[in-house]
Amino acid sequence: MSVSTHVLDAVSGRPAAGIAVRLFAGGDLLAEGVTDRDGRCRLTDDATGLGTHRLVFATGPWFAEQAREAFYPEVVLTFAVQEPAEHHHVPLLLSPFAYSTYRGS
């Protein structure tokens, strides 16, 4: 299974570059990275297995670097892997006081 994400700043309508992202399975850290200038981060191309996984986005430091107040110091997206051979793309649409996500392709 491969895992990637794409973070967009919903207020500015631009990619959110420089957000640290970590991928966990249970309590185990599987991969970590930082969103690129297009807001994208490919975390792993390695198999991670079945079960519950979490993406943890360090949004607080990112907002602080921009001198923007924000309600969420981190965003945690939990998702279930039922087909390990599939690619899992989990985008994040981010604003200071709300966020949304969906299963991408």
Side-chain angles (χ1 to χ4, degrees):
M1 170 188 91
S2 57
V3 177
S4 63
T5 189
H6 186 199
V7 185
L8 296 172
D9 181 343
V11 173
S12 70
R14 312 217 13 101
I19 295 181
V21 186
R22 294 175 291 155
L23 172 65
F24 291 90
D28 297 330
L29 176 65
L30 301 180
E32 56 189 329
V34 176
T35 56
D36 64 16
R37 67 183 208 159
D38 194 35
R40 297 180 184 276
C41 182
R42 188 167 192 98
L43 289 150
T44 184
D45 287 318
D46 297 333
T48 61
L50 293 168
T52 303
H53 291 71
R54 290 178 294 125
L55 285 173
V56 180
F57 298 84
T59 54
W62 183 78
F63 280 117
E65 286 175 7
Q66 300 173 48
R68 293 167 65 188
E69 181 183 353
F71 186 68
Y72 299 102
E74 70 178 15
V75 172
V76 180
L77 303 180
T78 304
F79 59 100
V81 174
Q82 297 175 349
E83 188 58 51
E86 291 183 8
H87 174 66
H88 290 72
H89 183 65
V90 186
L92 175 64
L93 304 174
L94 182 63
S95 69
F97 300 99
Y99 63 89
S100 64
T101 188
Y102 57 93
R103 171 130 191 223
S105 58

